[in-house]
Amino acid sequence: MIDSRTVGITKYQAFCTILAAIGSFNFGWNIGSVNIPGDVLQNCVTGRKYYGPFPSCIDISSGTIWGVIVGCYALGALFGAVISNYFIDRRGYKFVLTWFALCNVAGALLLSLTTSVAQFIIGRIVVGIAAGAANNALSTYVSDMTTPRGRNVLGGGVQFACNLGIMLDNAIALGLAPAPRWRILFALTGVFGLINFVLFPFASESPKWLISKGRFEEAREALQKFRQGTDIEAEFNEMVETDKANKERTDDVNVFQVLRGQTPDNLRHQLLCVTALMFFQQLCGINAVIFYSTSIINKSTQDDPANIPTLAQILTFVISLVALIFTFFGMVLGAYFGRRTLLMFSHGTMGLFSAIMVAGSVKDITGLVVTMVFLFNAFFNLGVGPIPWATAGEMTPRYAMTAMSGIGTGIGYTFTFVIGVIFPPMQAAWENYTFFFFMAWNIAAVTFVFLFVPETKDRRIEDTVKVHSIGIHTVLGKKWQVVPVKEKGSDMPNSVAPEFNDEFI
């Protein structure tokens, strides 16, 4: 029988990833929900009237305040990511991915029935809590339940689900942006939350989490489901031994212990990579495009925002569709190209497109600007989009994985909020030259990845931890190269190629 450590993706792994990704889908839905209806909500472009007690818009004259409304979603996500670590440790991934989905229902009620700016902000924060918890749990859950080969594809599940949510939201918003139909758009996030709540109990808990709690029979049963048709004994025993070795050194550590360096392994380098990659993911400029692409394009097309759908709104939907397609390509490329290669290529092309976008804006070449916005969003999804989410799960020992993932997502959401708030005034001040700011950060990211980020594709987490847990260092040279699982030959029984049957995808 096939050694379970050699398999790629099984049907049940894919099934559980899809269920877990509903939360990330909702994350994308709520990111995109303020883009196309933005002028209706903010500027009352279709007129101010009342439908019973409900106004047609929330009428915000300040771009900074609108930026706070857009960005406060990320503050909710930050809070959700932090508090979810407590519940993951005590109740498991299944609990978090099931019960936090109900925050989407509460947030949907606040948003769809909003009558004031304050209520709208609270609603955005509440749905953000659900999103932060879901994304934090999903990335580690997928890392726990998959083999190194399976992670190459399923590790991009967060980004794919997020972009699917953005794309479908933008498509539906073309018809629901006018008042009062935009309220339906915000109500739908509650429907998806209920679907998540009902369906996720059918997924299995992480085998590694169950082992960490001493629930070995449940862990064996869960692992067998995830590795259908294979011999799990060697992998199961390896998980048990790894957990035992970790516990002899320390219990699971929290965020503050990781930040202070109070861990058995020196995880400074992992901390640097996780936080920096999430930081660069936000400072690359993608959220400026996701949140404000309609207004960015409208500066070139000069549409009448009251004539919904405008050309800028239609192009925003097409951009999100292209982004989804490229996310799929990115997941496929992840099985063939290294993490470092994809990250440097993705950041490098985004820096180039930023510069060309500025040139097109200065010269007033509408087609060039629109094309660069398309390419900017598309190439983000080849590397910068999916890979940072998976970094903590591929570089960190089990005892610190939840905390490290929480730190990374916290950094990401903090700077999502920052970009959401500062972009409107920055665009007003810098005008056509705004994207030079993001070009500079993309160049810095390429340099950082080249010097500091190790290759983790097809590598066992334990091997990566052993090599790189020596403090901050550059990763140039053979000394820092971890041998891929498939190249370990006689050292590992999983060097044997799997005989795929109908249980595998």
Side-chain angles (χ1 to χ4, degrees):
M1 188 177 287
I2 303 168
D3 187 324
S4 63
R5 293 172 293 178
T6 68
V7 301
I9 304 170
T10 64
K11 293 178 181 178
Y12 191 67
Q13 284 178 30
F15 169 74
C16 292
T17 300
I18 290 170
L19 293 186
I22 295 174
S24 293
F25 170 89
N26 234 343
F27 172 61
W29 180 276
N30 286 296
I31 283 179
S33 62
V34 293
N35 191 345
I36 288 179
D39 277 323
V40 175
L41 291 167
Q42 178 187 2
N43 301 318
C44 299
V45 294
T46 56
R48 185 174 180 85
K49 60 186 79 170
Y50 280 84
Y51 301 87
F54 304 112
S56 60
C57 58
I58 49 180
D59 196 10
I60 301 158
S61 57
S62 169
T64 301
I65 294 177
W66 178 249
V68 171
I69 290 175
V70 171
C72 69
Y73 176 62
L75 290 184
L78 171 61
F79 182 68
V82 171
I83 63 171
S84 66
N85 286 328
Y86 173 86
F87 291 100
I88 288 172
D89 180 55
R90 285 157 180 77
R91 303 299 299 273
Y93 297 97
K94 196 169 178 178
F95 177 89
V96 169
L97 289 167
T98 301
W99 288 95
F100 272 78
L102 293 180
C103 289
N104 283 309
V105 179
L109 290 172
L110 288 166
L111 291 167
S112 60
L113 302 176
T114 192
T115 57
S116 66
V117 172
Q119 182 179 343
F120 198 79
I121 288 175
I122 294 171
R124 291 278 289 170
I125 291 174
V126 172
V127 294
I129 291 172
N135 283 348
N136 186 37
L138 173 60
S139 56
T140 312
Y141 177 71
V142 170
S143 176
D144 273 7
M145 74 174 182
T146 56
T147 60
R149 290 180 56 204
R151 285 200 307 270
N152 290 335
V153 176
L154 294 182
V158 171
Q159 193 62 34
F160 185 83
C162 175
N163 280 342
L164 179 61
I166 294 172
M167 187 274 291
L168 288 179
D169 176 89
N170 286 339
I172 294 173
L174 293 175
L176 295 182
R181 297 198 295 271
W182 57 262
R183 294 179 181 274
I184 300 174
L185 192 69
F186 289 102
L188 287 173
T189 189
V191 176
F192 302 134
L194 282 175
I195 293 172
N196 197 165
F197 178 76
V198 171
L199 292 182
F200 199 75
F202 292 99
S204 293
E205 182 58 86
S206 155
K208 291 183 179 180
W209 184 86
L210 290 168
I211 288 171
S212 73
K213 302 304 176 184
R215 295 157 61 176
F216 298 108
E217 288 307 312
E218 292 176 68
R220 184 187 296 274
E221 181 180 346
L223 184 61
Q224 189 65 73
K225 286 184 178 181
F226 287 126
R227 308 287 189 268
Q228 298 157 330
T230 68
D231 180 2
I232 66 167
E233 287 307 309
E235 184 177 11
F236 181 77
N237 291 334
E238 189 177 88
M239 287 182 178
V240 172
E241 289 303 315
T242 299
D243 180 72
K244 181 180 178 181
N246 284 337
K247 285 181 176 177
E248 288 175 352
R249 303 170 70 195
T250 184
D251 293 325
D252 285 357
V253 297
N254 58 39
V255 167
F256 298 105
Q257 288 172 302
V258 172
L259 291 174
R260 295 192 198 109
Q262 297 172 337
T263 55
D265 298 294
N266 187 334
L267 302 180
R268 290 297 186 190
H269 192 78
Q270 286 89 332
L271 179 63
L272 172 68
C273 290
V274 169
T275 55
L277 289 181
M278 291 302 293
F279 170 82
F280 286 125
Q281 186 191 60
Q282 305 311 314
L283 270 293
C284 73
I286 190 60
N287 280 319
V289 171
I290 292 175
F291 288 147
Y292 301 110
S293 61
T294 302
S295 63
I296 292 171
I297 295 172
N298 198 49
K299 286 185 176 297
S300 295
T301 59
Q302 298 181 345
D303 301 322
D304 179 358
N307 293 330
I308 301 171
T310 64
L311 176 59
Q313 291 170 337
I314 293 171
L315 290 173
T316 291
F317 159 68
V318 177
I319 287 171
S320 64
L321 177 60
V322 172
L324 181 67
I325 295 170
F326 271 72
T327 304
F328 176 76
F329 288 154
M331 293 172 70
V332 173
L333 290 174
Y336 296 96
F337 295 95
R339 310 288 191 255
R340 284 167 52 84
T341 301
L342 291 175
L343 280 170
M344 287 189 286
F345 176 73
S346 186
H347 271 300
T349 52
M350 291 174 73
L352 175 63
F353 299 147
S354 296
I356 299 175
M357 198 185 307
V358 169
S361 299
V362 171
K363 297 295 184 180
D364 196 22
I365 306 174
T366 300
L368 184 60
V369 173
V370 172
T371 301
M372 289 305 106
V373 173
F374 267 78
L375 293 175
F376 186 91
N377 200 346
F379 279 70
F380 166 82
N381 293 289
L382 296 182
V384 182
I387 292 173
W389 291 105
T391 302
E394 295 188 342
M395 295 182 63
T396 311
R398 171 69 201 173
Y399 66 80
M401 195 177 290
T402 300
M404 191 72 78
S405 179
I407 293 169
T409 52
I411 292 291
Y413 294 136
T414 298
F415 285 95
T416 297
F417 172 75
V418 170
I419 295 299
V421 172
I422 70 171
F423 185 77
M426 185 168 68
Q427 188 181 35
W430 293 14
E431 296 182 338
N432 294 332
Y433 298 94
T434 304
F435 269 77
F436 270 154
F437 176 80
F438 301 117
M439 180 193 72
W441 284 114
N442 278 295
I443 293 171
V446 172
T447 305
F448 176 84
V449 172
F450 178 73
L451 292 176
F452 296 105
V453 177
E455 184 54 67
T456 56
K457 176 182 176 291
D458 290 333
R459 273 70 171 178
R460 294 172 69 250
I461 296 169
E462 294 80 8
D463 293 340
T464 300
V465 171
K466 183 177 180 180
V467 171
H468 296 287
S469 295
I470 61 166
I472 295 173
H473 56 277
T474 61
V475 296
L476 305 179
K478 291 184 178 181
K479 177 181 178 181
W480 309 108
Q481 295 178 9
V482 178
V483 180
V485 166
K486 63 183 179 182
E487 294 179 8
K488 288 206 170 189
S490 59
D491 292 340
M492 289 283 292
N494 59 355
S495 61
V496 180
E499 298 176 10
F500 289 99
N501 55 37
D502 60 359
E503 296 293 341
F504 301 107
I505 296 177

